[in-house]
Amino acid sequence: MELSENYQFNYNKLLKFLSRTGGNGYMFAMADDYRFIRQINTSFESDLLKVGINSQVIFLQGNDEPLMQQIKNAEPDAGALIVANLYEVINNTTEGLNRLLHLNFSREELRSIKAPILFWADAQSLNIIANQAPDLFSQRRFTTIHFTGTVEHPIEEVFEKPEWKEFIESEKFKETEAKIETLKRRLHDAEESGYNPSRIAAEIAIPLAHEYAVLGLPNKTEPLLDKFKTFLDDNSPAELASLAKVYYALRQYPHAIETLLQANAL
């Protein structure tokens, strides 16, 4: 992993902010590599637990429920809140700006929450916030923290959501695990035999990526997407829909919506 020289300073500053027991207010952070956000959040959760703070990572949904309500629905006893995908909801969605404006009008309610809140954004969404919701942006606690660098090596496999601890012990996990093993064998055999890359992508690799995404394993999913999604037929609604399912399972909702719209237009 290639990190900026001020990584530890940035990390410690955010950790100190999130450790403000009983505090309130919010701030923004961004990372050049989105995969980096997942690893930083996992480290925050671990380090906060060491000092007795139960944090909650929130993934906002692009549905009819206002963003403010989704944040308030977080774990009631959470001592710190981390909103992992504000940029996804604001960027590239038809309702993104309306959702942001509603959050801007709810900023006093946001500030009244008795827990520090970290919003993950990016350059595009921060520009939108600064211009379209200047009050929300100006009332942040600190200047935006920027993590530079890229993830060059696979991120350690972690199950982010607490309920997955039960899921991985369930019959559904066993079923999903069996699908993964079957698809992995098929992928290996198909590549060894020189099978058509387009058919490998559509019939094996993208379905395998979806199973990994369902289990919350982006470090397994993303290499498959990087390698095989270019072999999908852009004129095939079924193949585009299959790709959209992977994006949805990864919570990359703008990509999922864009891909579905592309499929529906065919």
Side-chain angles (χ1 to χ4, degrees):
M1 181 180 298
E2 181 184 326
L3 302 177
S4 60
E5 293 182 359
N6 63 348
Y7 165 80
Q8 199 61 53
F9 175 83
N10 286 343
Y11 182 88
N12 289 342
K13 187 170 184 178
L14 287 179
L15 183 62
K16 182 178 180 180
F17 169 73
L18 292 170
S19 300
R20 296 168 62 249
T21 305
N24 59 1
Y26 57 88
M27 64 180 298
F28 299 98
M30 59 184 290
D32 290 344
D33 190 329
Y34 293 156
R35 294 173 295 174
F36 205 12
I37 295 174
R38 192 178 299 269
Q39 180 161 317
I40 293 173
N41 286 347
T42 301
S43 296
F44 281 149
E45 289 180 294
S46 175
D47 287 343
L48 288 168
L49 275 177
K50 292 176 183 177
V51 294
I53 298 175
N54 178 34
S55 59
Q56 171 88 20
V57 176
I58 306 169
F59 289 91
L60 299 173
Q61 308 292 313
N63 53 30
D64 293 334
E65 187 174 31
L67 301 185
M68 186 65 245
Q69 188 59 49
Q70 293 185 47
I71 295 170
K72 290 174 64 177
N73 289 343
E75 190 171 319
D77 62 348
L81 299 175
I82 302 171
V83 182
N85 66 332
L86 180 64
Y87 60 91
E88 285 188 332
V89 179
I90 295 176
N91 296 343
N92 304 320
T93 61
T94 55
E95 291 298 318
L97 182 56
N98 288 337
R99 298 182 194 285
L100 173 62
L101 294 178
H102 188 278
L103 185 62
N104 183 48
F105 292 138
S106 305
R107 62 187 179 277
E108 294 305 321
E109 191 175 2
L110 185 67
R111 290 167 61 86
S112 70
I113 294 176
K114 296 301 181 183
I117 305 170
L118 170 63
F119 288 104
W120 280 105
D122 62 5
Q124 179 179 337
S125 59
L126 281 172
N127 182 61
I128 294 173
I129 294 169
N131 285 282
Q132 301 296 330
D135 292 329
L136 180 69
F137 187 69
S138 65
Q139 292 180 22
R140 67 196 188 282
R141 284 288 185 181
F142 302 103
T143 57
T144 300
I145 299 296
H146 184 188
F147 289 89
T148 59
T150 58
V151 175
E152 296 180 343
H153 303 291
I155 298 174
E156 181 182 356
E157 296 179 12
V158 294
F159 295 96
E160 284 194 341
K161 298 179 68 177
E163 56 265 35
W164 286 349
K165 293 178 181 178
E166 295 182 11
F167 173 72
I168 62 176
E169 298 172 357
S170 68
E171 290 300 318
K172 183 170 178 57
F173 173 76
K174 294 176 184 177
E175 179 182 319
T176 302
E177 191 177 39
K179 288 181 184 177
I180 287 174
E181 291 305 314
T182 298
L183 289 168
K184 283 171 61 178
R185 287 195 298 271
R186 288 183 60 197
L187 179 60
H188 176 269
D189 293 344
E191 289 187 299
E192 286 290 309
S193 62
Y195 202 56
N196 184 291
S198 295
R199 295 195 64 180
I200 292 178
E203 299 173 12
I204 305 173
I206 299 305
L208 176 57
H210 179 258
E211 298 302 327
Y212 280 136
V214 167
L215 295 184
L217 301 176
N219 56 313
K220 296 288 188 179
T221 307
E222 288 162 354
L224 287 170
L225 292 179
D226 292 342
K227 184 175 181 179
F228 290 104
K229 70 179 180 181
T230 56
F231 292 109
L232 293 176
D233 183 356
D234 289 339
N235 294 311
S236 170
E239 292 184 21
L240 290 174
S242 179
L243 178 60
K245 286 175 62 179
V246 179
Y247 287 137
Y248 186 84
L250 287 172
R251 300 188 183 87
Q252 296 180 8
Y253 301 120
H255 290 312
I257 293 170
E258 180 182 357
T259 307
L260 279 177
L261 289 174
Q262 184 180 348
N264 289 335
L266 296 174

